[in-house]
Amino acid sequence: MTLRPRLADGTAPVLVVLAVLLVALAFAGPAYTEPAGYLALLKRAAPLVLLAVGQYFVVVSGGFDLSVGALVTAEVVIAARLVAGDDANALPVIALLLGFGVLVGLLNGLITTKLLVPSFIVTLGMLLVLDGAVFLWTGGAPRGALSPSFRVFGRGGFDVPLLGQVPWSVVVVLVVSTGAVLFMRSGTGRTLLAVGDNDTAVRLAGGRVNRLRLVAFALSGLLAALAAVLLAGFAGVSAQVGAGLEFRAITAVVLGGVVLGGGRGSVVAAAAGGLSLEALFSLLNLLGVPGALESAVQGLIIVTAVAYAARSTGPRRARRAREPGPVTP
């Protein structure tokens, strides 16, 4: 037998959209006539792509994670205070940040699964808790500084012939995306996808639904922490650095064809959705469209994509619901 790579349902449209946007960028701005322009786009998009992949795990399992934007802000503020400009603190602080991200994800998952609180409410509450804690700790003005060795992951890179400097953030995204694809192709990943489609059937078949959802939230928190490390290195320290990123991540996932409510979608499509969204905003900026319209564009994308998904998946689910069940003696 030979392995044949196959695109999951809903992946092809977002790849077409991404290709069109990349070609449009080449016509709209002279910077995109060379590889360096697209590498810079990948560097800017890397944090959003990581957030989209993390959000993907939660969404396909049937939930939402609205806390990732506030978590990114908290991580950046914590990093600046603890690193304090000292290169010796960089790696220990990064490890601490990743652990904190997993902890927040686990808290979201435990409250959702054990207390049966909807994930939308749980993560919205976590967003408010983290925002309040950051403001209380900093007074709206973060203190401290990031060291050069901490910022290298989001700002630095390595030279490649013909391409120029390839950002380390692009390597991080490729490694994470590859790992996520392999995970979703494993038995655990397939079961996680089935949880979003029909958690009752998975539970009756012996699947550990709560544990799988807990894993999804933990992965989302971990990738939000990793996105914070890249974003801090690229953009610096700010008390508003993560504002609105939770909605961008959801928009990217929906743009990638992942069905809200769970059960359908692919990692590649979610990552491509994040890159497409960043490319779209870059194109709008080059065309002189006001940045204030970004929220309107995100809202339009969400409504359109959800409506399209409802039309395409609604009949299939309705047919499945009408199918007769097993006859019991």
Side-chain angles (χ1 to χ4, degrees):
M1 292 193 334
T2 58
L3 283 175
R4 295 181 180 179
R6 183 176 63 87
L7 292 177
D9 293 340
T11 305
V14 70
L15 293 180
V16 171
V17 170
L18 177 58
V20 170
L21 288 171
L22 294 180
V23 171
L25 282 172
F27 286 98
Y32 293 96
T33 57
E34 298 180 359
Y38 290 103
L39 289 174
L41 173 66
L42 289 173
K43 180 192 290 189
R44 294 195 305 271
L48 179 58
V49 172
L50 292 179
L51 289 173
V53 173
Q55 191 73 231
Y56 163 82
F57 290 123
V58 178
V59 170
V60 296
S61 68
F64 285 96
D65 191 351
L66 297 179
S67 66
V68 292
L71 178 57
V72 167
T73 299
E75 297 268 8
V76 172
V77 170
I78 292 171
R81 179 70 69 90
L82 296 183
V83 172
D86 188 351
D87 280 335
N89 296 333
L91 290 180
V93 169
I94 289 176
L96 177 65
L97 296 179
L98 297 179
F100 181 67
V102 172
L103 177 61
V104 171
L106 289 174
L107 285 175
N108 287 333
L110 286 171
I111 296 173
T112 299
T113 58
K114 298 300 182 182
L115 301 183
L116 302 181
V117 181
S119 60
F120 183 89
I121 301 299
V122 173
T123 56
L124 178 61
M126 183 62 73
L127 180 154
L128 297 174
V129 168
L130 291 173
D131 274 347
V134 167
F135 184 80
L136 181 65
W137 193 31
T138 65
R143 286 172 283 178
L146 300 174
S147 66
S149 60
F150 185 97
R151 302 194 69 172
V152 70
F153 296 102
R155 176 175 288 187
F158 57 96
D159 291 329
V160 174
L162 302 179
L163 292 179
Q165 189 179 69
V166 176
W168 286 114
S169 55
V170 175
V171 178
V172 172
V173 167
L174 289 176
V175 171
V176 168
S177 299
T178 301
V181 169
L182 295 176
F183 172 75
M184 291 306 297
R185 290 186 176 182
S186 68
T188 303
R190 294 178 186 275
T191 308
L192 179 65
L193 198 63
V195 166
D197 189 43
N198 192 332
D199 59 350
T200 302
V202 174
R203 190 176 283 109
L204 291 176
R208 299 184 177 183
V209 173
N210 288 347
R211 179 174 295 183
L212 288 168
R213 284 183 169 148
L214 198 61
V215 169
F217 278 105
L219 289 174
S220 179
L222 174 64
L223 292 182
L226 190 55
V229 173
L230 298 185
L231 192 59
F234 177 74
V237 181
S238 168
Q240 301 295 324
V241 67
L245 285 179
E246 62 279 353
F247 297 113
R248 284 200 176 194
I250 292 174
T251 305
V253 168
V254 171
L255 181 60
V258 181
V259 176
L260 297 182
R264 200 188 80 176
S266 74
V267 173
V268 173
L275 182 55
S276 298
L277 194 62
E278 188 64 38
L280 174 61
F281 290 149
S282 298
L283 179 61
L284 294 178
N285 183 54
L286 288 173
L287 296 177
V289 177
L293 290 178
E294 288 186 2
S295 296
V297 171
Q298 290 184 73
L300 182 61
I301 290 173
I302 290 177
V303 172
T304 303
V306 171
Y308 173 79
R311 288 179 61 86
S312 61
T313 62
R316 178 176 61 85
R317 292 189 173 181
R319 285 194 302 270
R320 187 179 61 192
R322 291 195 297 266
E323 291 177 354
V327 178
T328 55

